[in-house]
Amino acid sequence: MIKNFDEVLERVKINGIKKVAVAAAQDETVLEAIRDARKRGIADAVLVGESARIEEAAKKIDMNLKEFEIIHEPDAARASLTAVELVSTGKADMVMKGLVDTSTFLRAVLNKEKGLRTGRILSHVAVFDVPALQRIILITDAAMNIAPDLMTKKQIIENAVNVAKAIGIEMPKVAAVAAVEVVNPDMQPTLDAAALSKMNDRGQIKGCLVDGPLAIDNALSEEAARHKGIESPVAGKADIILVPNIETGNAMYKTLTYTSGAKNGGILAGAAAPVILTSRADSHESKLYSMALASLVAEAN
Ligand SMILES: CCCC(=O)SCCNC(=O)CCNC(=O)[C@H](O)C(C)(C)COP(=O)(O)OP(=O)(O)OC[C@H]1O[C@@H](n2cnc3c(N)ncnc32)[C@H](O)[C@@H]1OP(=O)(O)O
């Protein structure tokens, strides 16, 4: 089982180099990540975006663009679709979000003719290496599904379980998180969490252990779980945090990023090919980790 992102970068070395199509590549942190990924033999790239701005950004970080193919497309929506189409037509292995807002990029991924749909729910999985926890946790879904219903949450769990297995977590423990650890009929997330937990008991969700509702303290801290008298194989040891909605997940993602010194990578799971999706403000390291993660998940599936 992988314990941190150094191990992710180590493990990915045995994979072949992947071609990444970058949507709206005119961004310094994205280009730094691409340069680093190429140096490490993780990925090569086709840069789709506004060529003059790509050159300007590259100059600022002293990056030689001669080694990369550039496709000029100044419009971010069209650049996203071109990058996605490079993957759906087999000219690239994975697609990466650059300087484009998430919704625009996701609409290209979901495009009926050129996109990467599979008939399943696509969902975001953020992998965090949190120093205070000394382990990796996965948070889902902080970026795509806004207010998932019960059956969407089931698929979001299954997608995250696939990612967890790709990084060596054989039987991931999934905490279906709510504001409290008891069922409250006025709080829909507690009802969904209890149902997901029972669906797992009955074999409707396989390959993992699901428990809920759990509040985030007793999902992450054994001490907090003990204090509240919760006995569960998941409490305090959760690998996957299933959040009830995008606001909770996104706030958790950004709080961890900006206050805890956590390292992170993020991808979409459930698509026909790996999709690398980080926040535009994330660091180049986070974008590099995301590429490495995407490569590991691609090899595992
Ligand atoms: C974590 C770091 C990065 C961030 O901070 S991200 C910031 C926050 N994230 C966002 O702003 C994006 C949130 N999500 C959205 O904006 C929207 O849900 C999204 C993905 C753009 C889709 O919205 P719309 O374009 O309005 O589309 P829609 O809901 O009407 O659906 C159109 C077709 O797509 C399908 N679809 C939507 N979400 C899907 C999913 N998760 N998996 C699989 N298919 C999905 C939907 O079923 C529909 O299909 P059809 O056309 O009826 O066949």
Side-chain angles (χ1 to χ4, degrees), residues 97 101-108 110-112 117-124 126 128 141-147 152 155-156 159 246 249-251 253-254 264 266 268-270 277-282:
K97 175 188 161 222
D101 68 84
T102 301
S103 303
T104 303
F105 177 71
L106 288 177
R107 287 195 178 103
L110 288 171
N111 182 280
K112 270 194 181 135
R117 289 187 186 212
T118 54
R120 286 186 54 78
I121 287 291
L122 275 59
S123 51
H124 188 259
F128 274 91
D141 177 340
M144 184 166 195
N145 292 278
I146 296 172
T152 304
Q155 289 196 43
I156 291 175
N159 285 344
I246 195 169
N250 207 272
Y253 181 110
K254 287 168 186 169
N264 74 296
L268 281 193
L277 199 161
T278 54
S279 169
R280 275 167 288 177
D282 279 341

Side-chain angles (χ1 to χ4, degrees), residues 167-231:
I167 56 172
I169 307 174
E170 292 301 328
M171 183 55 84
K173 300 178 198 70
V174 184
V177 163
V180 289
E181 53 283 336
V182 289
V183 171
N184 177 339
D186 294 330
M187 292 171 152
Q188 187 59 41
T190 68
L191 298 170
D192 287 352
L196 291 163
S197 179
K198 187 47 74 182
M199 287 161 84
N200 178 240
D201 286 348
R202 295 283 189 268
Q204 286 174 270
I205 303 173
K206 296 187 173 66
C208 58
L209 287 176
V210 184
D211 195 16
L214 289 171
I216 194 70
D217 55 350
N218 40 64
L220 292 177
S221 154
E222 288 186 74
E223 173 59 31
R226 247 194 319 274
H227 208 81
K228 289 189 177 167
I230 299 166
E231 275 180 40

